[in-house]
Amino acid sequence: MITTKTGRILRVTDEQLAAAASAKAAAAAFPDPARRKDVLFRVRREEGAEISSWWMIGAFVLTSGIVIALLSGVPGGA
């Protein structure tokens, strides 16, 4: 017995189950490149789960502030 996310029961034939199993096996042969072990920070997110642009703006302001603070300690500046 197979149900949907809403709890509705679907009628499925043996041929459909076999086709779904073979499709799952074929999909397992090609892993998602965003989830490789050598990729640390790349993550595939659901639709509508994008990062807020304010994080990027804040990171830019913070990095700029750190660079200006470090450069203000360099002698011979204007």
Side-chain angles (χ1 to χ4, degrees):
M1 184 168 28
I2 297 177
T3 60
T4 63
K5 290 181 181 179
T6 59
R8 185 174 169 208
I9 298 173
L10 299 176
R11 294 177 194 242
V12 182
T13 63
D14 291 332
E15 292 84 17
Q16 290 172 329
L17 287 174
S22 65
K24 231 181 234 185
F30 300 105
D32 186 6
R35 302 199 187 275
R36 291 188 328 224
K37 291 181 181 178
D38 62 333
V39 178
L40 295 177
F41 299 112
R42 186 172 46 188
V43 177
R44 184 167 301 207
R45 292 184 172 87
E46 295 295 325
E47 185 72 26
E50 291 86 11
I51 190 169
S52 173
S53 59
W54 288 107
W55 284 105
M56 296 295 112
I57 294 169
F60 174 77
V61 170
L62 180 68
T63 305
S64 300
I66 291 172
V67 169
I68 290 170
L70 289 173
L71 288 176
S72 66
V74 175

